[in-house]
Amino acid sequence: MKNYIKIAMLSMSLVGLASCDMESPSISALDGSTVYSTYSLAESEVMSVHVSFGETNSYRGRFLPYYGVNTDVEVMNSPDITKAGDDNKYDLSNYNTSPTNGQMNTDNNAYAKFYEGIERANLAIEGLRQYGNIEENPDMAQLLGEALTLRAVIYIDLIKAWGDVPARFVPNGPDNVYLPRTNRDVIYKQLLDDLKEAEGYCYWPNQNRITQSTERVSKSFVKSLRARIALYAGGYGLRGDGYRLSKDPELAPEKMYQIAKEECEAVINSGYNKLGGFKENFEKLCKDNVSAGGESIWEIPFSAGRGRVLYTWGVKHNVKDQYTQQAQGGVNGPIAFLYYDYDSEDVRRDITCVPYEWSKDLINGNAFVTFRAINKWCFGKLRYEWMDRIVTSTNDDGVNFQYMRLADVYLMAAEAENELGNTAAAWGYMQPVLARVLPAGKVSALQSKYTANKQAFREGIYEQRALEFAGEALRKPDLVRWGIIDQKMAEAKQKLTALQQRTGAYAGLPDKAYINNAVDKDKIQVYGLNKGEDDKEFIASIKDTWESKNWFVSKDEYVLTDAYIEGLYTVQPSTHSLWPIWKTFIDKSNGYLSNDGVYGQLSD
C-alpha cells in the first residue's frame, strides 16, 4: 500500500512541529543520536530520499519522460525537427540539447532534485554509521544498505545523463558548497564499493518484513544494480578526449564483466525472484502489486497522486472513459519499425507495440479503440485499462516505474558470460527469457544462430535487449556503453526510409489497416499490419463495421514523413549523448562548473 510515502512525508512534515504531548520534543529538536538510533525515525530519514524522486520536475516529470528517447526502439511521439521550438521538448531527445533548454533550465529540475536526494542519503548514511549500531541491529543495517543503494541509483542516472558530475559523498558543508565536475571513474568505483558493502546489510526479498515490497531495496536489487553499474563503467562513454572506454585499469571491461557475471548469477541462483510471464509482469505493475519475489526487483515508488509513468509511457486515452478519468498517455512510443522487428509469434510484440488509442468520442459513455498512425505508436506495457483503480488526477497516475526486473538480470548474465568467453553458458541465461515469449522451435533456431560464435551472441544480446526492454528507457545507455550508438541510429534512419517507401524487408506490406473499434479491452482486433493480411473476402466482410486507415500513404503523402526520420537525431549521437549542465547551475557555481567541451572535450 506504499506505506513508504507516509513514512517519508512524516519525516518532512513533522520537522519544526511540536508534538501533541507538550512534554515530548519535536522531531526538529531531536539530535542525530536519537533519530538514527531509533528505527522508526531512521527509517523515515532514509525513505525521505524517495520524496526527491516524486518532485514535480525530478524523476516524475522530467527525467523519466525525457531521458532514454530517441533510440532505435523508442521515440518521442513524434520526433520532428519542425517542432524544435515546442518548449524545447524535442531538443531533449534529438541529441542537440542546449544548456538553456526550456524544460530543464530551472532551479527545481531533475539535476537539482537528484542532488537533493543525494544530500538526504548522505545525511542518513552518516547518521546510521555513527548511531545506528548496525553491527548489532540488522534492521538498522538494512536501512544503511538502502541509503547507500538509493544514492547509487541517483548517481548512476546523473552519469548517464550528464557524464562527469560533482561527487558529493558527505553532507553539504562550508568546504564543499562549490565543487567541479569529477571524473566519473572515481564515482563508478565509489558506487561499486558502496554496493558491495550494502550487499552485506540488505535482506533478500521476503527474507524480512522490510523486503516484502518491491518498493524497498533488497539484496537482489543491490546485486543487480552493482552488475548494471559495472557494465556502464566498463563500457564506452563520452569523455574528455572523445567517445571511448575508461583508461582506468581497475575498470577494464573484463573486470567489470566478471563483477556483472558474479552478481547476476548470485541473484538468479538465490531463487528469491522468479521470472513468471512477460505480460503478467506488466499487469502486476499496473495493478500496484508490489509483492516481492516475482520478476520485479525494484521500482521507483509513486503515491497515487504522483508520478507520470502511464502519462508518458502508456496507451493514449483522449477523454475520461470507462478505464480512466485521466486523458493522457502516448507521449513516447515505439519507433515506427519496431513492430516489424518482432517475430509475428513473439508474445512481446503486441504487448509492446500498440497501433491504437482510446477515442475522443464516447458510445454510451464508453471510449472505443481507434487507430493512431504509423508515426505515433503507443507502448502497451503500461495501460490504464489494466489498472484496478481509476486514475482521477489531471497529470499523475501513481504507477511505479519499474527500475530493475529479473529478465534484465538474466540478459546481463548472458552478456557477461559471453564476453568472458563462455558462450554456451551464456545461452543458458538467455534461453529462459526467450522460452516464455516464443515457440520452442523458434527458440531452438535462435540458439543455433546466436551460439555460432562470440560475435553472433553479442549481436543476439543487442537484438534481444531491444525487443525485451523497449519502452523501459534502457536502450540509450546500452547503445552508449556498447559503442554502437552511431551505427544503430544510422541503421534506424535507413530502416525508417525503407519502411516509408515499403522497400526491402517491408516490401509487400498492405496499404490499409483495419480495427474493430472495440470498447472492451479484451476484444480488440487488428488486421492489415502484416504481410498477407490483404485477403479481399475478409476485408469485404468487415469493411462496413471496422475502421480502416491508410497506413503508409495519406492524401498522396507519406505518413512517415521525412521530418520524422530526420528528427530522430540532428547531430552525431555518440558525441552528443549527454545533456549539458543547465545554465542556471553554471551561473550559480562560483566558476566551478562549466559546459566547455561537454561534447567530447572535457578534461579527464
Side-chain angles (χ1 to χ4, degrees):
M1 296 300 293
K2 304 190 177 185
N3 288 329
Y4 88 92
I5 288 289
K6 298 176 183 177
I7 295 169
M9 295 309 296
L10 179 68
S11 170
M12 299 181 67
S13 64
L14 291 186
V15 172
L17 296 180
S19 168
C20 292
D21 181 353
M22 297 304 292
E23 295 182 359
S24 299
S26 67
I27 286 185
S28 63
L30 299 178
D31 60 19
S33 63
T34 301
V35 171
Y36 291 107
S37 63
T38 306
Y39 180 83
S40 60
L41 298 178
E43 183 184 40
S44 72
E45 295 304 308
V46 175
M47 294 301 97
S48 73
V49 178
H50 293 109
V51 176
S52 295
F53 294 145
E55 298 277 7
T56 297
N57 293 330
S58 183
Y59 278 88
R60 168 203 173 267
R62 290 297 181 269
F63 189 74
L64 295 180
Y66 295 124
Y67 182 79
V69 289
N70 295 342
T71 70
D72 60 342
V73 299
E74 297 137 332
V75 292
M76 189 181 299
N77 275 329
S78 64
D80 185 336
I81 55 177
T82 65
K83 294 182 178 178
D86 184 17
D87 293 328
N88 304 127
K89 291 179 182 179
Y90 288 85
D91 292 343
L92 285 170
S93 59
N94 69 6
Y95 299 87
N96 195 18
T97 309
S98 166
T100 59
N101 181 271
Q103 293 293 314
M104 291 290 204
N105 188 35
T106 62
D107 291 338
N108 67 344
N109 69 63
Y111 182 85
K113 292 303 175 181
F114 284 15
Y115 277 103
E116 175 187 274
I118 286 170
E119 176 66 7
R120 288 173 171 160
N122 285 342
L123 289 167
I125 291 165
E126 181 181 80
L128 285 163
R129 288 196 191 284
Q130 188 169 1
Y131 303 113
N133 192 22
I134 60 174
E135 294 82 5
E136 302 297 329
N137 189 329
D139 286 0
M140 296 295 270
Q142 163 74 28
L143 290 180
L144 177 55
E146 287 196 71
L148 290 166
T149 304
L150 293 174
R151 184 173 69 179
V153 166
I154 299 172
Y155 263 118
I156 195 60
D157 286 340
L158 276 167
I159 291 173
K160 279 158 47 180
W162 289 280
D164 295 337
V165 294
R168 294 184 177 276
F169 288 102
V170 296
N172 293 342
D175 297 333
N176 65 348
V177 172
Y178 302 107
L179 292 175
R181 292 179 184 257
T182 303
N183 180 357
R184 75 198 67 173
D185 290 347
V186 173
I187 302 176
Y188 279 141
K189 289 190 286 187
Q190 178 73 51
L191 301 184
L192 291 171
D193 288 345
D194 285 349
L195 294 176
K196 188 65 175 176
E197 179 185 359
E199 288 178 7
Y201 300 146
C202 291
Y203 300 108
W204 288 103
N206 292 312
Q207 192 179 16
N208 178 279
R209 61 175 180 78
I210 300 172
T211 55
Q212 291 176 349
S213 167
T214 56
E215 296 178 336
R216 295 296 293 265
V217 170
S218 67
K219 195 188 297 287
S220 290
F221 180 52
V222 179
K223 286 180 168 291
S224 303
L225 182 62
R226 190 165 186 259
R228 181 181 287 177
I229 290 173
L231 294 181
Y232 290 158
Y236 284 82
L238 180 56
R239 294 175 175 269
D241 53 359
Y243 178 60
R244 60 167 176 80
L245 298 172
S246 170
K247 296 176 182 178
D248 189 327
E250 294 181 47
L251 300 178
E254 62 273 13
K255 293 182 179 180
M256 296 299 98
Y257 275 118
Q258 184 64 32
I259 289 175
K261 163 183 151 54
E262 292 172 359
E263 297 290 18
C264 290
E265 291 178 352
V267 173
I268 294 167
N269 294 336
S270 76
Y272 281 98
N273 292 89
K274 304 293 184 183
L275 265 181
F278 182 79
K279 183 180 180 182
E280 174 194 8
N281 172 68
F282 297 105
E283 287 182 320
K284 287 175 67 176
L285 185 62
C286 291
K287 294 180 184 299
D288 302 324
N289 184 336
V290 296
S291 299
E295 178 163 356
S296 186
I297 293 177
W298 186 70
E299 300 166 10
I300 294 179
F302 292 111
S303 64
R306 301 301 293 168
R308 293 171 61 168
V309 176
L310 274 171
Y311 176 108
T312 306
W313 297 95
V315 175
K316 175 68 175 176
H317 286 246
N318 282 283
V319 293
K320 298 176 181 181
D321 60 29
Q322 67 269 36
Y323 297 115
T324 180
Q325 294 299 293
Q326 182 182 96
Q328 300 293 358
V331 175
N332 297 333
I335 198 167
F337 58 71
L338 182 62
Y339 176 89
Y340 304 98
D341 282 353
Y342 287 95
D343 184 282
S344 61
E345 294 185 278
D346 193 326
V347 168
R348 297 172 297 189
R349 185 190 70 172
D350 293 342
I351 294 172
T352 304
C353 301
V354 171
Y356 58 79
E357 62 186 20
W358 291 89
S359 62
K360 296 178 182 178
D361 300 318
L362 299 177
I363 298 177
N364 298 324
N366 294 326
F368 54 90
V369 289
T370 182
F371 274 128
R372 294 201 102 192
I374 195 172
N375 62 343
K376 290 185 179 180
W377 290 77
C378 288
F379 282 118
K381 290 177 175 178
L382 299 168
R383 310 186 188 199
Y384 293 94
E385 50 269 35
W386 284 351
M387 297 180 70
D388 284 337
R389 58 182 168 84
I390 296 291
V391 176
T392 57
S393 169
T394 302
N395 292 325
D396 293 85
D397 48 74
V399 172
N400 289 349
F401 183 83
Q402 192 169 67
Y403 196 90
M404 183 74 71
R405 59 186 177 97
L406 191 59
D408 195 359
V409 179
Y410 272 96
L411 290 182
M412 286 193 290
E415 179 181 348
E417 285 281 17
N418 182 63
E419 294 300 328
L420 292 170
N422 308 315
T423 302
W427 172 253
Y429 292 114
M430 181 181 282
Q431 191 273 342
V433 176
L434 299 185
R436 65 178 182 166
V437 296
L438 286 166
K442 292 189 174 180
V443 174
S444 179
L446 288 176
Q447 179 180 6
S448 298
K449 175 184 176 182
Y450 292 158
T451 59
N453 53 60
K454 184 177 182 179
Q455 181 58 33
F457 197 89
R458 184 181 292 149
E459 294 288 340
I461 288 289
Y462 297 163
E463 181 175 55
Q464 290 305 322
R465 286 189 67 87
L467 301 177
E468 180 72 24
F469 302 118
E472 299 179 53
L474 289 174
R475 188 61 170 177
K476 182 177 179 180
D478 275 350
L479 293 178
V480 170
R481 70 179 176 86
W482 287 327
I484 61 172
I485 188 167
D486 290 341
Q487 170 194 332
K488 288 297 184 181
M489 295 301 283
E491 287 178 5
K493 283 192 175 181
Q494 293 168 2
K495 291 169 72 172
L496 287 171
T497 300
L499 181 62
Q500 177 196 59
Q501 301 171 14
R502 282 182 288 174
T503 60
Y506 310 107
L509 287 170
D511 295 331
K512 286 189 175 184
Y514 303 84
I515 192 168
N516 67 343
N517 296 137
V519 300
D520 185 333
K521 67 182 185 299
D522 297 318
K523 295 181 179 180
I524 300 166
Q525 294 177 272
V526 177
Y527 184 79
L529 293 180
N530 302 296
K531 292 180 182 180
E533 291 186 342
D534 51 6
D535 182 87
K536 293 182 179 179
E537 289 187 9
F538 180 76
I539 291 172
S541 71
I542 63 173
K543 69 176 183 178
D544 294 331
T545 54
W546 289 34
E547 171 191 340
S548 66
K549 190 177 186 72
N550 292 323
W551 200 241
F552 293 96
V553 178
S554 177
K555 298 178 181 179
D556 297 324
E557 294 183 355
Y558 290 125
V559 177
L560 192 56
T561 63
D562 290 343
Y564 178 107
I565 297 170
E566 292 305 314
L568 187 63
Y569 62 91
T570 58
V571 291
Q572 186 175 352
S574 65
T575 58
H576 291 72
S577 56
L578 298 173
W579 283 335
I581 294 177
W582 316 116
K583 185 176 183 297
T584 185
F585 302 111
I586 299 294
D587 291 346
K588 297 173 183 176
S589 70
N590 203 27
Y592 277 77
L593 292 177
S594 171
N595 279 319
D596 292 346
V598 72
Y599 295 130
Q601 300 172 22
L602 284 172
S603 62
D604 281 349

